[in-house]
């Protein structure tokens, strides 16, 4: 959701390079590593070895091509492909925008959407944003200044939060920007990141989901794959060139830079770069944390997701309009479910906890000889155990708060309470800078909420909550919750289902909430103290973790350095660059897969029934072999998807895949099923990312959807031209 590094000069001149990381890159190996851009000059020998022509120093500079064209969508990645704010990303990343503009009668999910002129482009939604990184600074010393060993965990957390809020407020004096101060290496370092935040984003083009989601959940995380997972959005700003609220008079953003699209193609063994915003990885987690995820939290998450999906399916059955409204919700839950199931299968297939046991034992032996704080690892183990215990309570709390109306009411009541404080003292997420985002989330329900569906979900969730172990129930919560049998009356006694009513509550004070007779407002008020108790307990744990984990990570870095191994921070939604090659893989003995699929595979998979129902115009183009400039000389057809050894995770969806010259040749959209455990452990033999081949995207645009206006707008290198 955030991005990373900017340089007005060479980054290393302006950014304090952590001594702990210096010199650890000489033995770096390709594929593994989600690198912060400033680290790339230290990896120039690796980039050169695999054949990347773009100078590493240029890749480290966000003011230069190609990094200046990278965009965050707040959960997905994108890149500019024209000078007028046109950005390409995945179909599933724009799915919410497609769904919000769809009805049963005008179904852009099923039929696709193409704006042939800018005037025809549609609003992507009130909470859709584009983030363009402008500046990055190392602010570790400023964040940690004043911390003492005597502080409680909660005091430590709040001290860091206050320091971060002050740094953000200073950074956001120009309201065109959104700033953040994420931690790296679990609190060892902090960087202040400034991003221009585009608030007017419009849907330009999305193919039918027959292309964009071909194979659906059946093929999700699978290979071979034949999915055209792409779409186009456009950034708009005020006439002065600055970000503005959505308005008819806004103009396309003049992109500082954009990617050249290359239809020249790739072949097995070719090098690639991938730039985007990976969400979260857990490469440095302890063996106990892996076992907890494997044995407790992930199985519970799978069961909860399946149960919720079943309720939504039953509540929307036979109602096409309801199906459209909940399409994005269902897609999101399904995607998380498939990934979690893949993680569990991966843990079963390879005992990652045992591998980590070996690494942990080796580290502890090294630390016994070289570590200065001999109590560190005992403290670490105790705090990790407490953190895992609390996660059970948080899971139960989230199940009990499944209703979208309850979530909205709780957000609004918290806003009223925080609004009594000076803005600088408010909890993060409830300051003046957050008002538009809160309003956008409240408005989003306009297209993704139905009372009968929400009621069914809440009723079933309360029933599931009652079946959870009593020890996981937050203290005092049971007496405050409605019974499943009484849920229907809440919806009858509330007007929170109306968008205007929800938005009106944003300006009301605490007293108005506490005197309200709206059922969901009353419930939110009742639950507030319990929620705050959990939050404060979490702050205590976070503070203790942030006291111990940085010391642990510093030791891990020194240990890795002693072995000549690469060190990179876990993904945290900031801009990262990874690299690798176009490569097949062997998921098990005797089987080899990849690295390309072709349009002939679509014909083979086509059954005429979802999710393998392809539109006839595309099938006809394949049968007639109308491949034109997009035919691969080796494959003698149009490639659809390809594999690479790049290190990716959730959030990398939509990331630009670049060739050795920094030109756009694909979009990242998935990983193979065997790769899912890479969030915890990277296995270079089987870890593969799945990308849309840009030639398939261009071919569909030309031969199937006739998106000639967009083909003309982009700068495209064609074979022989």
């Amino acid at each position: 959701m955030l991005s990373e590094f900017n340089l007005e000069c060479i980054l290393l001149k302006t950014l304090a390079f952590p001594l702990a990381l210096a010199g650890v890159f000489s033995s770096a190996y390709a594929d593994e590593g989600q690198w912060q851009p400033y680290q790339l000059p230290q990896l120039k020998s690796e980039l050169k070895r695999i054949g990347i022509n773009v100078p590493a120093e240029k890749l480290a500079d966000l003011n230069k091509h190609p990094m200046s064209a990278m965009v965050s969508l707040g959960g997905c990645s994108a890149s500019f492909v024209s000078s007028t704010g046109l950005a390409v990303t995945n179909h599933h990343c724009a799915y919410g925008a497609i769904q919000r503009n769809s009805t049963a009668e005008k179904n852009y999910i099923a039929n696709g959407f193409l704006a042939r002129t800018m005037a025809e482009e549609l609003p992507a939604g009130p909470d859709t944003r584009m983030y363009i990184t402008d500046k990055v600074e190392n602010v570790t010393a400023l964040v940690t200044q004043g911390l003492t060993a005597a502080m409680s965990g909660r005091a430590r957390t709040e001290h860091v939060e206050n320091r971060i809020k002050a740094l953000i407020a200073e950074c956001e004096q120009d309201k065109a920007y959104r700033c953040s101060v994420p931690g790296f290496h679990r609190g060892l370092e902090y960087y202040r990141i400034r991003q221009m935040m585009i608030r007017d984003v419009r849907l330009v083009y999305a193919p039918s989901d027959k292309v964009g989601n071909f194979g659906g959940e059946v093929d999700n995380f699978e290979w071979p794959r034949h999915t055209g997972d792409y779409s186009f959005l456009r950034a708009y700003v005020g006439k002065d060139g600055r970000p503005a609220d959505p308005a008819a008079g806004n103009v396309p953003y003049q992109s500082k830079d954009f990617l050249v699209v290359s239809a020249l193609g790739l072949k097995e063994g070719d090098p690639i770069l991938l730039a985007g915003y990976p969400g979260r990885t857990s490469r440095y987690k302890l063996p106990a944390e892996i076992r907890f995820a494997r044995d407790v939290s992930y199985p519970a998450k799978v069961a909860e997701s399946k149960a919720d999906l079943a309720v939504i399916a039953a509540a929307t059955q036979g109602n096409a309009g309801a199906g459209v409204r909940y399409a994005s919700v269902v897609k999101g839950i399904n995607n998380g479910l498939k990934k979690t199931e893949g993680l569990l299968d991966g843990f079963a297939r390879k005992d990652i906890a045992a591998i980590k046991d070996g690494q942990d034992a080796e580290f502890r032996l090294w630390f016994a000889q070289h570590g200065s704080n001999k109590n560190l690892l005992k403290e670490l183990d105790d705090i990790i155990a407490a953190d895992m215990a609390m996660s059970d309570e948080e899971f139960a709390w989230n199940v009990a708060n499944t209703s979208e109306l309850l979530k909205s009411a709780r957000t609004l009541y918290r806003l009223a309470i925080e609004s009594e404080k000076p803005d600088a003292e408010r909890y993060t997420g409830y300051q003046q800078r957050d008002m538009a985002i809160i309003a956008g989330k409240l408005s989003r329900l306009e297209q993704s909420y139905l009372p009968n569906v929400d009621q069914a979900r809440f009723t079933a969730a309360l029933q599931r909550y009652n079946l959870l172990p009593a020890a996981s129930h937050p203290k005092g919560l049971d007496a405050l919750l409605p019974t499943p049998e009484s849920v229907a009356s809440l919806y009858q006694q509330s007007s929170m289902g109306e968008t205007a009513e929800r938005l009106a509550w944003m300006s009301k004070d605490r007293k108005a909430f506490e005197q309200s007779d709206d059922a969901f407002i009353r419930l939110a008020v009742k639950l507030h103290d319990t929620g705050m108790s959990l939050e404060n307990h979490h702050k205590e744990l976070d503070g203790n973790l942030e006291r111990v984990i940085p010391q642990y990570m510093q030791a891990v870095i020194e240990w890795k350095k002693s072995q000549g191994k690469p060190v990179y921070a876990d993904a945290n939604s900031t801009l990262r660059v990874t690299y690798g090659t176009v490569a097949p893989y062997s998921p098990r003995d005797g089987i080899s897969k990849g690295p390309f699929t072709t349009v002939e595979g679509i014909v083979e998979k086509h059954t005429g029934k979802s999710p393998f129902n392809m539109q006839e115009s595309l099938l006809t183009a394949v049968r007639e072999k109308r491949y034109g400039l997009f035919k691969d000389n080796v494959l003698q057809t149009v490639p659809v998807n390809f594999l690479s050894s790049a290190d990716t995770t959730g959030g990398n969806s939509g990331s630009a895949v670049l060739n050795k010259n920094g030109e756009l040749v694909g979009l990242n959209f998935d990983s193979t099923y065997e790769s899912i455990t890479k969030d915890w452990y990277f296995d270079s033999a089987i870890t593969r990312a799945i990308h849309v081949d840009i030639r398939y995207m261009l071919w569909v645009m030309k031969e199937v959807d006739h998106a000639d206006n967009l083909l003309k707008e982009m700068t495209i290198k064609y074979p022989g031209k």
Side-chain angles (χ1 to χ4, degrees):
M1 161 174 176
L2 309 166
S3 65
E4 207 55 64
F5 285 69
N6 163 70
L7 289 175
E8 295 179 1
C9 319
I10 295 177
L11 186 62
L12 296 176
K13 292 181 180 178
T14 60
L15 203 60
F17 188 65
L19 293 177
L21 305 186
V24 303
F25 303 102
S26 58
S27 300
Y29 48 96
D31 309 334
E32 180 178 357
Q34 296 171 341
W35 304 100
Q36 296 165 249
Y38 82 84
Q39 295 178 293
L40 294 175
Q42 306 300 314
L43 298 165
K44 63 171 60 180
S45 62
E46 275 297 292
L47 296 172
K48 184 177 180 180
R49 183 187 64 79
I50 67 169
I52 298 297
N53 292 334
V54 184
E57 289 78 10
K58 189 177 180 183
L59 291 171
D61 190 340
L62 293 193
N63 280 329
K64 293 181 180 178
H65 185 279
M67 303 308 292
S68 52
M70 303 306 164
V71 179
S72 169
L73 299 177
C76 276
S77 305
S79 51
F80 287 124
V81 287
S82 86
S83 62
T84 50
L86 185 68
V88 65
T89 187
N90 287 155
H91 184 273
H92 76 261
C93 292
Y95 198 83
I98 302 165
Q99 179 264 321
R100 289 182 196 115
N101 286 287
S102 295
T103 63
E105 297 74 29
K106 191 181 289 185
N107 192 335
Y108 296 133
I109 298 173
N111 302 321
F113 171 77
L114 172 63
R116 298 195 179 278
T117 66
M118 290 183 184
E120 296 176 3
E121 294 171 2
L122 298 174
D127 59 338
T128 304
R129 302 284 189 273
M130 283 191 190
Y131 299 90
I132 305 162
T133 301
D134 171 73
K135 186 179 182 181
V136 171
E137 307 163 86
N138 187 332
V139 293
T140 305
L142 295 174
V143 172
T144 58
Q145 182 181 359
L147 291 175
T148 68
M151 283 181 169
S152 69
R154 179 178 171 183
R156 186 183 183 90
T157 297
E158 291 178 347
H159 178 90
V160 169
E161 287 175 349
N162 289 334
R163 300 291 292 178
I164 287 174
K165 283 191 289 186
L167 287 165
I168 288 173
E170 179 185 65
C171 180
E172 290 183 351
Q173 291 181 19
D174 185 336
K175 300 305 179 185
Y177 295 96
R178 184 82 174 180
C179 301
S180 61
V181 183
F184 292 75
H185 292 295
R186 299 181 81 172
L188 180 60
E189 300 174 88
Y190 292 89
Y191 290 91
R192 180 165 64 180
I193 299 170
R194 189 174 80 164
Q195 298 175 298
M196 179 178 286
M197 183 173 72
I198 305 294
R199 304 192 297 272
D200 188 348
V201 181
R202 304 183 193 179
L203 178 64
V204 178
Y205 163 54
S208 161
D209 69 344
K210 295 181 179 66
V211 171
N213 193 32
F214 185 76
E217 292 307 316
V218 176
D219 271 5
N220 195 14
F221 291 109
E222 299 293 346
W223 186 262
R225 196 75 178 274
H226 299 82
T227 307
D229 199 347
Y230 71 88
S231 62
F232 288 83
L233 303 169
R234 194 185 305 276
Y236 279 79
V237 292
K239 291 181 179 179
D240 59 358
R242 290 171 59 82
D245 291 332
N250 287 348
V251 297
Y253 172 70
Q254 298 299 303
S255 319
K256 178 181 178 181
D257 205 351
F258 61 90
L259 298 178
V260 170
V261 177
S262 174
L264 303 181
L266 297 168
K267 64 181 183 301
E268 183 175 335
D270 279 353
I272 63 100
L273 286 166
L274 188 147
Y277 299 80
R280 289 289 183 271
T281 54
S282 304
R283 303 270 173 85
Y284 300 101
K285 290 290 181 81
L286 301 183
E289 294 176 282
I290 296 175
R291 290 187 170 90
F292 180 77
R294 182 192 68 191
D295 302 335
V296 180
S297 64
Y298 284 171
K301 182 179 178 182
V302 166
E304 181 64 17
S305 296
K306 287 182 175 179
D308 195 21
L309 285 169
V311 173
I312 295 172
T316 58
Q317 187 174 13
N319 186 332
V324 169
R325 275 183 176 262
Y326 277 84
S328 183
V329 174
V330 168
K331 188 175 181 65
I333 297 172
N334 265 319
N335 194 56
L337 172 62
K338 186 71 175 282
K339 180 169 183 176
T340 307
E341 288 180 319
L343 282 163
L344 289 172
D345 284 351
F347 288 148
R349 186 171 54 252
K350 176 169 283 191
D351 194 344
I352 294 174
I355 293 172
K356 291 283 188 175
D357 279 336
Q359 295 174 347
D360 188 55
E362 185 182 350
F363 166 74
R364 288 175 188 251
L365 181 62
W366 176 90
F367 187 80
Q369 299 172 358
H370 300 90
S372 56
N373 180 0
K374 300 305 180 183
N375 295 321
L376 176 63
L377 298 183
K378 174 64 166 60
E379 288 184 79
L380 177 68
D381 291 339
D382 290 345
I383 293 169
I384 292 295
D387 186 53
M388 292 187 296
M390 187 181 179
S391 70
D392 287 339
E393 282 190 81
E394 291 179 321
F395 176 81
W397 169 261
N398 289 331
V399 172
N401 282 266
T402 293
S403 166
E404 294 296 338
L405 294 196
L406 177 56
K407 291 175 186 176
S408 296
R410 288 184 52 240
T411 296
L412 288 163
Y413 183 49
R414 179 69 180 273
L415 176 61
I417 294 172
E418 295 295 331
S419 296
E420 296 174 344
K421 309 172 187 176
D423 192 58
E425 296 177 16
R426 296 184 192 179
Y427 185 69
T428 302
Y430 294 91
Q431 296 176 287
Q432 282 297 321
R433 67 194 289 268
D434 304 305
M435 293 301 101
I437 292 175
I438 292 173
K441 289 180 178 179
L442 295 171
S443 299
R444 182 178 61 189
L445 291 184
E446 183 80 31
Q447 295 298 322
S448 59
Y449 164 83
L450 287 172
N452 69 299
V453 181
D454 201 58
Q455 178 181 319
R457 294 179 74 191
F458 193 24
T459 301
L462 289 172
Q463 292 169 339
R464 295 194 299 273
Y465 169 83
N466 290 335
L467 296 175
L468 292 173
S472 70
H473 289 199
K475 185 178 180 180
L477 180 58
D478 292 14
L480 303 176
L481 291 172
T483 64
E485 296 76 21
S486 67
V487 165
S489 65
L490 297 179
Y491 289 84
Q492 295 164 4
Q493 299 170 36
S494 176
S495 57
M496 288 293 290
E498 301 297 324
T499 301
E501 187 72 15
R502 290 192 299 276
L503 293 174
W505 278 101
M506 287 186 67
S507 60
K508 296 184 181 181
D509 61 18
R510 181 174 186 164
K511 185 177 180 181
F513 280 83
E514 293 171 355
Q515 294 179 346
S516 173
D517 60 0
D518 185 287
F520 276 106
I521 296 294
R522 291 201 310 270
L523 182 56
V525 172
K526 285 172 60 178
L527 296 179
H528 178 74
D529 287 347
T530 300
M532 289 304 300
S533 177
L534 282 172
E535 184 176 300
N536 290 332
H537 186 195
H538 198 110
K539 282 185 177 182
E540 180 69 22
L541 284 173
D542 281 348
N544 289 329
L545 285 167
E546 289 173 7
R547 175 175 52 81
V548 174
I549 293 288
Q551 298 178 60
Y552 168 69
M553 286 307 305
Q554 182 76 45
V556 168
I557 289 169
E558 292 294 342
W559 174 55
K560 293 272 189 180
K561 178 181 174 181
S562 71
Q563 299 171 320
K565 292 183 178 179
V567 179
Y568 54 90
D570 266 322
N572 61 352
S573 296
T574 59
L575 182 61
R576 304 296 179 95
V577 179
T578 184
Y579 53 90
T581 58
V582 178
Y585 77 111
S586 177
R588 52 189 178 273
D589 187 46
I591 296 177
S592 181
K593 293 186 176 184
F596 289 95
T597 60
T598 70
V599 290
E600 275 73 20
I602 296 173
V603 177
E604 291 291 331
K605 283 185 174 180
H606 172 71
T607 63
K609 296 180 180 180
S610 180
F612 297 104
N613 181 27
M614 180 52 71
Q615 57 200 71
E616 188 58 37
S617 56
L618 189 146
L619 296 172
T620 298
V622 176
R623 292 179 184 122
E624 295 177 358
K625 299 187 181 300
R626 299 201 312 265
Y627 302 147
L629 295 169
F630 308 109
K631 182 172 74 173
D632 183 274
N633 288 333
V634 175
L635 301 172
Q636 289 297 299
T637 183
V638 179
V640 178
N641 298 147
F642 67 96
L643 298 173
S644 85
S645 57
D647 188 352
T648 63
T649 190
N652 274 124
S653 291
S655 293
V657 182
L658 310 177
N659 64 14
K660 63 183 180 181
N661 298 318
E663 299 160 342
L664 186 68
V665 291
L667 299 175
N668 184 72
F669 74 95
D670 208 353
S671 296
T672 59
Y673 198 68
E674 296 82 8
S675 301
I676 294 177
T677 50
K678 67 185 172 187
D679 283 3
W680 295 81
Y681 172 74
F682 190 93
D683 185 340
S684 60
I686 62 170
T687 298
R688 295 294 180 268
I690 304 175
H691 317 300
V692 181
D693 194 301
I694 213 73
R695 290 169 290 179
Y696 179 62
M697 182 184 86
L698 297 173
W699 179 75
V700 174
M701 293 174 72
K702 181 174 178 60
E703 291 292 338
V704 180
D705 289 341
H706 308 293
D708 300 307
N709 55 313
L710 299 182
L711 292 171
K712 291 177 181 177
E713 183 175 347
M714 293 186 288
T715 300
I716 304 172
K717 282 188 176 180
Y718 292 102
K721 291 191 176 182

